[in-house]
Amino acid sequence: MSKVALITGASSGIGHATALRLARDGHLVVLGARRTDRLAALAGTIRDAGGTADTHRLDVTDAKNVADFVDTAVDRHGRINVLVNNAGIGPLSRLDSLLTDEWNQMIDVNIRGLLNGIAAALPHFQRLGSGHFVTVASVGAHEVMPTSAVYSGTKYATWAITEGLRVELDPSIRVTTISPGIVESEIAGSITDPDTKELIRAFREKLISADAIAAAISYAVGQPSDVDVNEIVIRPATQR
């Protein structure tokens, strides 16, 4: 069945790949991100391939903006069925670098952004009596390496919040956490600490495509309503 799937952080990386994959699966995708020029290009690609896509300028740290993103989709299409909470940032650094502004940005985008998405979509799912939350977390939710303390902290929080949502909700609303390992994305480009940048550059020499994560999301979304894929951890075969 065709679903109305909302995707945050859709302008690049996993969000971009997920939009293409879900549209190819026959779902109507609603794309949210700050870079509207990229969203327009992505929507054009989807429409040229015969799919359906809407775009919406979205800052996930702004609760009202997120509510407008969700409410507008409901107004246009009568329902929403899936929310992929994908927007995230990861400017890694050692704690003793004291890059406190970057710490706060990660908290705002990775944690508050997720909560804003839940708050906006949950009432609609409850009214409909069904729905699916998909959170893109990270293997950083399960392990900490030097430079990842704050990032891993925010991703553990996204994992815990999403798991809490799963156990609290009626089973008619499904909840999935996707925890990627090293994936092609723009996250490495956000690192400002020079030592960390070089460390991560070497670490990212072997990565998997964002399409691999999009395929995992497609799998979870495509399951029958009585099947709830709780979590998928997906990483390069060489990553341990």
Side-chain angles (χ1 to χ4, degrees):
M1 183 187 87
S2 176
K3 299 177 180 179
V4 179
L6 282 60
I7 305 165
T8 72
S11 60
S12 66
I14 292 170
H16 184 280
T18 299
L20 292 171
R21 178 59 184 255
L22 294 185
R24 192 164 69 246
D25 291 345
H27 303 303
L28 187 160
V29 293
V30 182
L31 314 175
R34 290 176 298 175
R35 293 177 291 187
T36 54
D37 56 336
R38 292 196 178 192
L39 292 184
L42 174 57
T45 299
I46 289 170
R47 292 168 188 147
D48 289 345
T52 307
D54 289 345
T55 66
H56 192 109
R57 188 189 183 285
L58 178 64
D59 177 356
V60 297
T61 68
D62 182 335
K64 184 180 184 305
N65 191 196
V66 178
D68 288 344
F69 172 59
V70 172
D71 292 345
T72 298
V74 173
D75 290 344
R76 287 180 180 172
H77 308 294
R79 60 188 167 88
I80 58 169
N81 305 106
V82 180
L83 173 61
V84 181
N85 278 304
N86 164 72
I89 60 173
L92 304 179
S93 65
R94 289 176 54 90
L95 288 171
D96 55 13
S97 296
L98 299 178
L99 299 178
T100 56
D101 287 345
E102 294 182 357
W103 301 351
N104 288 323
Q105 289 168 4
M106 281 189 279
I107 291 167
D108 286 343
V109 174
N110 298 353
I111 302 177
R112 291 194 175 96
L114 169 64
L115 291 170
N116 288 338
I118 292 169
L122 182 54
H124 294 292
F125 286 166
Q126 289 175 322
R127 268 195 299 276
L128 188 63
S130 65
H132 196 164
F133 287 103
V134 179
T135 296
V136 178
S138 169
V139 296
H142 303 280
E143 61 187 11
V144 182
M145 66 177 193
T147 75
S148 84
V150 177
Y151 176 74
S152 291
T154 64
K155 288 302 184 177
Y156 179 81
T158 64
W159 179 92
I161 290 165
T162 305
E163 178 65 4
L165 185 67
R166 186 186 70 81
V167 299
E168 289 180 4
L169 290 182
D170 183 272
S172 62
I173 301 174
R174 300 186 293 171
V175 182
T176 301
T177 303
I178 305 290
S179 292
I182 309 169
V183 177
E184 60 174 344
S185 72
E186 295 182 347
I187 281 183
S190 68
I191 297 171
T192 62
D193 181 72
D195 293 335
T196 301
K197 189 182 287 285
E198 178 56 28
L199 173 68
I200 298 303
R201 185 201 63 75
F203 190 60
R204 291 178 60 83
E205 286 181 351
K206 295 182 179 180
L207 45 72
I208 54 177
S209 74
D211 293 337
I213 311 305
I217 293 171
S218 170
Y219 169 77
V221 168
Q223 294 305 298
S225 60
D226 62 341
V227 176
D228 192 1
V229 179
N230 301 155
E231 183 173 13
I232 300 175
V233 178
I234 179 168
R235 51 163 64 97
T238 56
Q239 184 181 357
R240 291 293 183 266

